[in-house]
mmCIF file of all heavy atoms in Angstrom:
data_model
loop_
_atom_site.group_PDB
_atom_site.id
_atom_site.type_symbol
_atom_site.label_atom_id
_atom_site.label_comp_id
_atom_site.label_asym_id
_atom_site.label_seq_id
_atom_site.Cartn_x
_atom_site.Cartn_y
_atom_site.Cartn_z
ATOM 1 N N MET A 132 -6.582 -14.682 10.377
ATOM 2 C CA MET A 132 -7.861 -13.991 10.035
ATOM 3 C C MET A 132 -8.866 -14.976 9.388
ATOM 4 O O MET A 132 -8.633 -15.460 8.355
ATOM 5 C CB MET A 132 -7.582 -12.778 9.004
ATOM 6 C CG MET A 132 -8.930 -12.165 8.581
ATOM 7 S SD MET A 132 -8.666 -10.496 7.708
ATOM 8 C CE MET A 132 -7.687 -11.005 6.350
ATOM 9 N N LEU A 173 -10.182 -16.029 2.853
ATOM 10 C CA LEU A 173 -9.527 -15.220 1.812
ATOM 11 C C LEU A 173 -10.340 -14.020 1.475
ATOM 12 O O LEU A 173 -9.767 -12.911 1.293
ATOM 13 C CB LEU A 173 -9.326 -16.087 0.523
ATOM 14 C CG LEU A 173 -8.284 -15.377 -0.430
ATOM 15 C CD1 LEU A 173 -6.874 -15.624 -0.031
ATOM 16 C CD2 LEU A 173 -8.518 -15.894 -1.865
ATOM 17 N N MET A 174 -11.633 -14.160 1.466
ATOM 18 C CA MET A 174 -12.468 -13.023 1.123
ATOM 19 C C MET A 174 -12.512 -11.916 2.240
ATOM 20 O O MET A 174 -12.934 -10.818 1.934
ATOM 21 C CB MET A 174 -13.965 -13.509 0.787
ATOM 22 C CG MET A 174 -14.029 -14.426 -0.400
ATOM 23 S SD MET A 174 -13.057 -13.881 -1.800
ATOM 24 C CE MET A 174 -14.187 -12.833 -2.655
ATOM 25 N N GLN A 175 -12.026 -12.232 3.424
ATOM 26 C CA GLN A 175 -11.908 -11.197 4.418
ATOM 27 C C GLN A 175 -10.835 -10.187 4.011
ATOM 28 O O GLN A 175 -10.879 -9.029 4.364
ATOM 29 C CB GLN A 175 -11.539 -11.772 5.818
ATOM 30 C CG GLN A 175 -12.485 -12.846 6.291
ATOM 31 C CD GLN A 175 -13.961 -12.420 6.304
ATOM 32 O OE1 GLN A 175 -14.251 -11.249 6.685
ATOM 33 N NE2 GLN A 175 -14.828 -13.196 5.690
ATOM 34 N N MET A 176 -9.873 -10.631 3.181
ATOM 35 C CA MET A 176 -8.824 -9.679 2.652
ATOM 36 C C MET A 176 -9.592 -8.618 1.866
ATOM 37 O O MET A 176 -9.269 -7.447 1.905
ATOM 38 C CB MET A 176 -7.821 -10.434 1.891
ATOM 39 C CG MET A 176 -6.953 -11.401 2.669
ATOM 40 S SD MET A 176 -6.038 -12.537 1.542
ATOM 41 C CE MET A 176 -4.975 -11.332 0.673
ATOM 42 N N ALA A 177 -10.512 -9.109 1.023
ATOM 43 C CA ALA A 177 -11.188 -8.180 0.084
ATOM 44 C C ALA A 177 -12.145 -7.223 0.902
ATOM 45 O O ALA A 177 -12.152 -6.067 0.694
ATOM 46 C CB ALA A 177 -12.016 -8.968 -0.874
ATOM 47 N N LYS A 178 -12.789 -7.827 1.907
ATOM 48 C CA LYS A 178 -13.752 -7.085 2.679
ATOM 49 C C LYS A 178 -13.073 -5.902 3.419
ATOM 50 O O LYS A 178 -13.460 -4.806 3.406
ATOM 51 C CB LYS A 178 -14.485 -8.070 3.625
ATOM 52 C CG LYS A 178 -15.575 -7.466 4.413
ATOM 53 C CD LYS A 178 -16.454 -8.563 5.027
ATOM 54 C CE LYS A 178 -16.000 -8.982 6.366
ATOM 55 N NZ LYS A 178 -16.898 -10.042 6.966
ATOM 56 N N THR A 179 -11.997 -6.325 4.207
ATOM 57 C CA THR A 179 -11.319 -5.271 5.015
ATOM 58 C C THR A 179 -10.703 -4.218 4.117
ATOM 59 O O THR A 179 -10.755 -3.028 4.405
ATOM 60 C CB THR A 179 -10.189 -5.918 5.843
ATOM 61 O OG1 THR A 179 -9.339 -6.782 5.014
ATOM 62 C CG2 THR A 179 -10.800 -6.882 6.919
ATOM 63 N N SER A 180 -10.131 -4.627 3.007
ATOM 64 C CA SER A 180 -9.538 -3.609 2.073
ATOM 65 C C SER A 180 -10.511 -2.682 1.537
ATOM 66 O O SER A 180 -10.239 -1.469 1.389
ATOM 67 C CB SER A 180 -8.756 -4.342 0.965
ATOM 68 O OG SER A 180 -7.782 -5.216 1.493
ATOM 69 N N GLY A 204 -1.893 -13.393 4.251
ATOM 70 C CA GLY A 204 -3.124 -12.697 3.798
ATOM 71 C C GLY A 204 -3.451 -11.417 4.619
ATOM 72 O O GLY A 204 -4.066 -10.557 4.048
ATOM 73 N N ALA A 207 -1.208 -8.904 3.138
ATOM 74 C CA ALA A 207 -1.585 -8.629 1.760
ATOM 75 C C ALA A 207 -2.949 -7.915 1.699
ATOM 76 O O ALA A 207 -3.688 -7.962 0.755
ATOM 77 C CB ALA A 207 -1.555 -9.867 0.888
ATOM 78 N N SER A 208 -3.388 -7.469 2.913
ATOM 79 C CA SER A 208 -4.670 -6.704 2.949
ATOM 80 C C SER A 208 -4.471 -5.525 3.925
ATOM 81 O O SER A 208 -3.640 -4.650 3.771
ATOM 82 C CB SER A 208 -5.877 -7.544 3.131
ATOM 83 O OG SER A 208 -5.758 -8.256 4.427
ATOM 84 N N LEU B 188 -6.448 -4.698 -3.935
ATOM 85 C CA LEU B 188 -7.750 -5.047 -3.315
ATOM 86 C C LEU B 188 -8.490 -3.818 -2.996
ATOM 87 O O LEU B 188 -9.670 -3.650 -3.287
ATOM 88 C CB LEU B 188 -7.560 -5.883 -2.051
ATOM 89 C CG LEU B 188 -6.755 -7.132 -2.137
ATOM 90 C CD1 LEU B 188 -6.799 -7.952 -0.854
ATOM 91 C CD2 LEU B 188 -7.232 -8.073 -3.268
ATOM 92 N N LEU B 212 -6.479 -13.387 -5.834
ATOM 93 C CA LEU B 212 -7.402 -12.275 -5.359
ATOM 94 C C LEU B 212 -6.901 -10.868 -5.847
ATOM 95 O O LEU B 212 -7.714 -10.046 -6.074
ATOM 96 C CB LEU B 212 -7.430 -12.336 -3.821
ATOM 97 C CG LEU B 212 -8.533 -11.475 -3.140
ATOM 98 C CD1 LEU B 212 -9.907 -11.991 -3.538
ATOM 99 C CD2 LEU B 212 -8.339 -11.476 -1.658
#
Side-chain angles (χ1 to χ4, degrees):
Chain A
M132 174 166 64
L173 195 80
M174 296 317 273
Q175 303 310 309
M176 294 168 62
K178 186 163 91 178
T179 51
S180 301
S208 58
Chain B
L188 307 186
L212 191 67

